[in-house]
Amino acid sequence: AENKTINFVPARAIGYQWSNCYDLKTQWEYFKEGLAQSASQQNEQEKNAPSAADTIASIESSLKLSIEKDILPAFSDELGGYISGVDLAGVFPIPQLSFFIKISDQAAADKVMNTLTQNPYLMPQNENYKNIPIKYFVIPLGADLEPGYCFLNGYLLVASGRKELRGAIDAANDQSLSLAADGGFKKVNQ
């Protein structure tokens, strides 16, 4: 399959990974089987521990989402991420990380992200950067760490800061700024 993600990964990325064969539904089934197997192997002292179904129900209750009905249908099998560097100027090093996943259903993905980012302790902020809405959170650790996300070219992009999201949007709008145009990447990209 054609890798379209390199068109929004900034050329300054120092590490990059992409996969187009990560089957979320199969992974979820493996996870449930593992939970059930662990529950069946409990000794007598652990018999009062929650079952696999109880654990999943608890997770879904805290998320306020159904994993099988809300989350899995929203996303596809294409995902990856990249690191653009590490900011050493602050009190402690902050990795400049970005992760992305292909969207199957934009409305469902938007619902998932809106639900997951509802937090009474964090005030979500909105920015419209080059006609792409960015949602982010201001954290008292400084402007370099403003985790956020945006939807870009059919992908959900989650990053450690707005700077990374803006860089991806810039690369998507101007291919000369993308990893696909980087001379070093062209040497190894077949």
Side-chain angles (χ1 to χ4, degrees), residues 38-178:
S38 292
S40 70
Q41 295 173 351
Q42 294 172 342
N43 63 33
E44 282 303 314
Q45 294 176 346
E46 297 171 323
K47 288 295 180 189
N48 294 332
S51 69
D54 291 339
T55 301
I56 291 169
S58 174
I59 292 169
E60 290 179 332
S61 175
S62 71
L63 293 176
K64 298 181 181 131
L65 292 166
S66 165
I67 294 168
E68 291 183 14
K69 294 177 184 171
D70 296 321
I71 298 174
L72 294 178
F75 303 104
S76 184
D77 61 354
E78 202 176 322
L79 54 88
Y82 57 94
I83 182 167
S84 300
V86 178
D87 184 356
L88 301 172
V91 177
F92 55 90
I94 300 173
Q96 298 165 327
L97 299 170
S98 300
F99 301 96
F100 53 83
I101 187 166
K102 182 100 170 123
I103 297 169
S104 292
D105 181 335
Q106 176 73 42
D110 201 34
K111 176 187 174 193
V112 167
M113 292 309 295
N114 283 332
T115 302
L116 290 177
T117 57
Q118 289 178 359
N119 186 318
Y121 303 107
L122 297 173
M123 291 292 298
Q125 306 292 314
N126 296 301
E127 176 184 1
N128 193 355
Y129 184 74
K130 298 186 178 178
N131 295 319
I132 303 290
I134 295 175
K135 293 186 181 182
Y136 67 98
F137 297 92
V138 175
I139 295 179
L141 299 173
D144 294 324
L145 185 60
E146 295 177 331
Y149 70 93
C150 68
F151 295 102
L152 182 63
N153 297 349
Y155 294 84
L156 166 65
L157 184 61
V158 179
S160 59
R162 278 190 298 165
K163 177 181 169 184
E164 286 74 40
L165 296 172
R166 290 178 187 153
I169 293 167
D170 288 341
N173 288 331
D174 180 354
Q175 293 299 288
S176 70
L177 302 175
S178 74

Side-chain angles (χ1 to χ4, degrees), residues 17 27 51 182:
Q17 187 274 330
Q27 293 301 317
S51 69
D182 181 70

